Amino acid sequence: EITDAEFDRLYRQLQELEETFPELIIASSPTQKVGAPPSTGFLQVRHRIPMLSLSNAMSDDDLDRWGERLGRGLALSPAQVEQLKFVCELKIDGLSIALTYRQGRLAEGATRGNGEIGENVTLNLKTIASLPQELKATGAQKFPDLLEVRGEVYLPVSSFEELNRALQEQGQPVFANPRNAASGSLRQKDPRVTARRKLSCFAYFAYLSDDVVKEPVTHEATLEMLEALGFPVNPHRKVVCGLEEVKQFCLDWYERRHHLDYQTDGVVVKLDDRSLWDALGTTAHSPRWAIAFKYPPDEEETLVESIEFDVGRTGAVTPVACLSPVRLAGTTVKRATLHNFEQIRRLDVRVKDTVVVRKAGEIIPEVLRVVLEKRPADATPTREPAECPVCASPLERSGAEVVLRCPNDACPAQMQRRLEHWVSRDAMDIEGLGTVAVGNLLSAGIVRDPADLYLLDEETLTALERMGSKSAQKVLINIQASKNRPLGSVIYALGIRHVGSQMADLLAEHYTSLKDLIAAPASELDTLEGVGPAISQAVREYFARPENLAVIDRLAAAGVNIEHLEKPSRLALPQTLEGKTLVLTGTLSSLERSAAEKLIKAHGGKATSSVSKKTDYVVAGTNPGSKVDRARELGITVIDEAQFKDLLDGRS
Ligand code: IVH
């Protein structure tokens, strides 16, 4: 068994080989087949219309090539292809099903199986609460004699986690991911077990095979008809014009999809006009009128080279797997958290093991599971450390906590992490003091706590390695500026356990000064909305320590703000770009790309990354890319940096 990413890579390779050497294609090639053969446990169902798969696009270039194929297949010019309407839908990571409704009642439901023959899982499908057993009557509408609906059954991520927790408590094997869990749950022999699993479904196709109800002419209208009949249809879809807008939809959902309670691995793009479906037809494997745009994989296999223990700013000791570098979700991952020692034991991760690593969006990479079949004989279990790997203090575990802690406040690792936290963006935002500089300041004994930062001068800073006088001056300016950070940021920067930046803002607003927060009794803290016992206890413990109060006194003496000031109302900028969409390309001489994007937003405009008909201006810096050519093709105005500034200022 291999990861999706590995499968897709091998599949791609096979496709390319078969394209070059068609004489080598054999009937049993996976490119000629769909899915797994039906298992024997259920009755078999022959699908009226084969359940095909989709061809994949891994990049914008692949989408462009699809556009070229559409153009050839429909005898359209590139400009006409640019006018085609597409429906973009999220690609739900579950398993596809076919539902047959006769005279408005759910008669039969089947899995895809091998595409021709699937398994009859009607009783199990009937337990899915969101699927209508009977179609919803809408006004005078009659029900079709026969309606076949296709869709995706999935297990919400929250239900998946709940299910795995329960299985684990019962000592049973857990599911590797929500899709396997959905598939396992739908194939239960006992429908009562399926019913407990909280499966859900999204419908994405309908075939009507009689004249009672007219088949809609567009795909979007079909989806709306399904909604009207009572089916759950995914709301996160969009009818767009041309492939540039398809690309924009894919980009828009790249991060956003991680906030949904179901897993998605791409975007399914379908031609909206169903008459074009017939014109294009299908291959043995997939329709030509649809494609799946796949996001870069967020799960991959790699090797554990070693297991290290990191000490955090609160002394928490976190095991980290050091990995053979692997590309995940567009970045190279070399380390993945193992959370705590309990987790190492539960997963049974060993050095030299092959593991599946996941990095979803902005989430820190984590080890999901061990690939036991690939474990070498000499893979040795890691022992729980008894001492802090940095200061050698005996580690402690309080009460029922699974977290091991280094109790030594003066542990160099804790000091380093505390200072890194102090200077970080959401805290005091002191740019120019990175991990290396903080480490150098600590090891030279110049700085021991945040208050020492406010005593630094240029001479001391320039004595550090890799710190010229220009950088030193910048750092000093940033340190000065940090004195005026709002109280919420200061409280967050202190690094009190359980107090994140939102909680810190809440405390700042309620108490309005650090002095009052220090004096607040636990009983009062507890009554604040959102403050639980763990937080109030952590706050009390933090301020009960004389050494913490001493640092706060020195910070205040240095001029760091410890009062809550009313926020000055931000000066509204003239909305000179209201309703305008801009695309930036190339390098601007006076602005970073991100700053330019912020300016566009602040002036009421939108910055997008790809050029489409909806783009109003393309701002070209030096070395602009193909976006300028694209803009010229579409007749969109290309402007330079000076013109961009004129636009912002309303001088255009
Ligand atoms: S349309 C001809 N729409 O992705 C098959 N499929 O890789 C057309 N899937 O087998 C399927 N979300 O299991 C379609 N919105 C969606 C989908 C979707 C998930 C799955 C489906 C399909 C697989 C193809």
Side-chain angles (χ1 to χ4, degrees):
E1 295 201 338
I2 55 176
T3 59
D4 271 2
E6 183 75 19
F7 180 88
D8 284 344
R9 226 179 354 255
L10 289 171
Y11 193 91
R12 254 297 143 118
Q13 197 183 359
L14 179 62
Q15 269 182 329
E16 278 163 20
L17 279 168
E18 289 182 342
E19 257 164 47
T20 326
F21 307 104
E23 67 278 15
L24 295 183
I25 303 178
I26 53 173
S28 61
S29 166
T31 59
Q32 310 298 305
K33 286 206 162 144
V34 184
S39 80
T40 45
F42 293 93
L43 287 176
Q44 298 196 343
V45 182
R46 179 170 288 278
H47 298 300
R48 263 178 300 276
I49 307 163
M51 289 183 82
L52 298 179
S53 187
L54 287 172
S55 53
N56 290 335
M58 306 295 195
S59 62
D60 283 3
D61 283 351
D62 283 354
L63 282 176
D64 287 335
R65 275 193 283 272
W66 182 52
E68 287 161 16
R69 290 201 295 277
L70 289 178
R72 281 196 299 273
L74 298 168
L76 299 176
S77 68
Q80 286 170 315
V81 171
E82 200 49 52
Q83 297 301 316
L84 285 173
K85 282 206 176 136
F86 298 93
V87 181
C88 299
E89 295 165 44
L90 296 182
K91 187 171 183 311
I92 314 294
D93 204 4
L95 65 151
S96 48
I97 49 147
L99 304 160
T100 306
Y101 286 79
R102 292 186 197 280
Q103 281 92 40
R105 288 185 141 269
L106 174 57
E108 189 178 86
T111 62
R112 180 166 74 172
N114 65 6
E116 308 246 324
I117 296 172
E119 301 151 318
N120 182 331
V121 287
T122 314
L123 291 179
N124 290 347
L125 281 168
K126 282 191 169 173
T127 70
I128 299 180
S130 55
L131 274 184
Q133 307 272 328
E134 279 180 39
L135 302 181
K136 200 155 95 187
T138 48
Q141 184 193 46
K142 281 190 233 144
F143 290 131
D145 273 344
L146 183 69
L147 167 72
E148 179 164 336
V149 174
R150 301 246 169 117
E152 196 83 353
V153 167
Y154 66 93
L155 191 67
V157 178
S158 53
S159 311
F160 161 73
E161 285 167 353
E162 198 182 304
L163 170 64
N164 265 1
R165 260 197 306 276
L167 288 173
Q168 205 184 345
E169 269 168 27
Q170 295 158 16
Q172 294 189 44
V174 294
F175 287 107
N177 53 49
R179 183 185 25 164
N180 286 5
S183 173
S185 302
L186 196 61
R187 286 199 174 77
Q188 289 291 324
K189 292 280 139 51
D190 182 351
R192 284 170 305 181
V193 178
T194 310
R196 285 199 293 269
R197 294 281 171 91
K198 303 197 180 131
L199 289 169
S200 224
C201 181
F202 283 124
Y204 48 65
F205 268 137
Y207 298 100
L208 294 156
S209 34
D210 59 52
D211 299 327
V212 183
V213 179
K214 269 231 184 81
E215 188 140 76
V217 292
T218 66
H219 180 55
E220 174 59 21
T222 311
L223 295 177
E224 282 163 17
M225 176 194 80
L226 283 169
E227 269 169 350
L229 289 171
F231 288 93
V233 179
N234 195 301
H236 304 303
R237 61 175 195 270
K238 195 169 173 188
V239 184
V240 302
C241 188
L243 287 174
E244 290 310 311
E245 290 186 21
V246 167
K247 291 174 197 167
Q248 187 63 46
F249 182 91
C250 297
L251 198 66
D252 289 344
W253 276 96
Y254 181 54
E255 280 298 335
R256 244 185 110 184
R257 70 200 164 109
H258 296 300
H259 302 293
L260 300 169
D261 195 23
Y262 40 84
Q263 287 195 326
T264 55
D265 56 347
V267 171
V268 179
V269 189
K270 298 168 189 164
L271 275 175
D272 191 32
D273 182 344
R274 286 183 63 164
S275 68
L276 302 179
W277 295 10
D278 300 330
L280 284 161
T282 69
T283 70
H285 171 263
S286 51
R288 294 195 180 87
W289 38 264
I291 200 160
F293 179 87
K294 288 261 209 133
Y295 288 123
D298 48 20
E299 269 182 46
E300 277 277 20
E301 281 183 15
T302 188
L303 203 70
V304 178
E305 292 178 349
S306 63
I307 293 180
E308 283 181 3
F309 292 89
D310 269 7
V311 185
R313 69 185 149 82
T314 61
V317 175
T318 311
V320 177
C322 302
L323 308 164
S324 303
V326 61
R327 290 288 294 174
L328 273 185
T331 58
T332 300
V333 172
K334 293 189 208 131
R335 292 161 66 82
T337 179
L338 288 159
H339 299 294
N340 52 54
F341 214 84
E342 247 341 277
Q343 179 82 345
I344 297 193
R345 263 195 287 265
R346 198 168 65 78
L347 298 173
D348 186 21
V349 183
R350 305 179 186 184
V351 175
K352 297 192 189 165
D353 261 340
T354 297
V355 289
V356 177
V357 190
R358 175 180 171 78
K359 180 184 186 298
E362 292 151 19
I363 296 169
I364 353 170
E366 61 173 345
V367 173
L368 282 187
R369 61 181 177 277
V370 174
V371 184
L372 281 177
E373 305 87 86
K374 296 195 182 166
R375 171 171 285 170
D378 60 343
T380 41
T382 298
R383 265 195 290 177
E384 183 174 285
E387 292 172 352
C388 171
V390 179
C391 72
S393 306
L395 295 180
E396 291 176 359
R397 179 175 276 136
S398 73
E401 267 194 347
V402 284
V403 182
L404 275 174
R405 275 181 205 285
C406 163
N408 174 18
D409 268 346
C411 167
Q414 287 190 47
M415 285 165 59
Q416 167 97 24
R417 299 281 174 267
R418 279 199 296 266
L419 278 169
E420 283 173 11
H421 178 70
W422 182 266
V423 303
S424 67
R425 170 120 29 108
D426 288 341
M428 301 305 270
D429 194 19
I430 303 177
E431 230 182 286
L433 275 186
T435 312
V436 178
V438 166
N440 288 342
L441 285 169
L442 274 169
S443 54
I446 300 166
V447 168
R448 291 184 54 83
D449 58 46
D452 292 334
L453 291 175
Y454 296 87
L455 305 173
L456 288 174
D457 54 30
E458 192 178 330
E459 200 183 327
T460 323
L461 275 173
T462 42
L464 294 179
E465 230 176 279
R466 286 202 273 166
M467 180 76 78
S469 85
K470 227 176 165 181
S471 328
Q473 280 166 15
K474 271 194 194 152
V475 168
L476 288 172
I477 290 172
N478 294 339
I479 291 176
Q480 280 303 318
S482 79
K483 291 181 181 173
N484 298 323
R485 293 282 287 159
L487 180 59
S489 305
V490 180
I491 296 174
Y492 173 62
L494 292 176
I496 306 169
R497 265 173 80 188
H498 307 306
V499 178
S501 59
Q502 276 183 9
M503 179 51 57
D505 286 343
L506 189 138
L507 293 173
E509 251 166 55
H510 187 84
Y511 285 102
T512 69
S513 86
L514 199 52
K515 241 179 35 231
D516 288 354
L517 175 63
I518 293 171
S523 55
E524 188 182 297
L525 280 165
D526 273 342
T527 61
L528 291 187
E529 174 115 11
V531 179
I535 298 178
S536 63
Q537 195 186 338
V539 172
R540 291 297 357 122
E541 273 173 17
Y542 185 88
F543 293 124
R545 301 178 68 151
E547 59 274 28
N548 289 341
L549 295 179
V551 172
I552 291 173
D553 281 345
R554 288 169 47 229
L555 285 168
V560 172
N561 166 47
I562 54 167
E563 304 284 334
H564 180 61
L565 311 165
E566 281 306 319
K567 274 190 214 130
S569 68
R570 260 210 297 141
L571 283 177
L573 291 167
Q575 300 295 288
T576 42
L577 295 181
E578 178 120 47
K580 299 277 184 243
T581 302
L582 286 82
V583 173
L584 298 161
T585 176
T587 317
L588 301 180
S589 62
S590 67
L591 283 171
E592 295 264 322
R593 166 81 53 113
S594 57
E597 283 173 359
K598 276 190 196 141
L599 275 176
I600 294 174
K601 260 205 200 141
H603 286 82
K606 206 166 106 186
T608 62
S609 58
S610 71
V611 181
S612 76
K613 279 193 343 225
K614 289 203 181 139
T615 309
D616 294 291
Y617 299 101
V618 170
V619 185
T622 45
N623 298 323
S626 59
K627 289 179 188 167
V628 168
D629 304 330
R630 176 98 202 115
R632 300 242 153 86
E633 259 170 52
L634 293 173
I636 288 159
T637 317
V638 179
I639 56 175
D640 63 16
E641 192 168 342
Q643 289 169 308
F644 172 55
K645 291 199 168 145
D646 283 347
L647 255 189
L648 286 174
D649 296 343
R651 279 196 303 269
S652 164

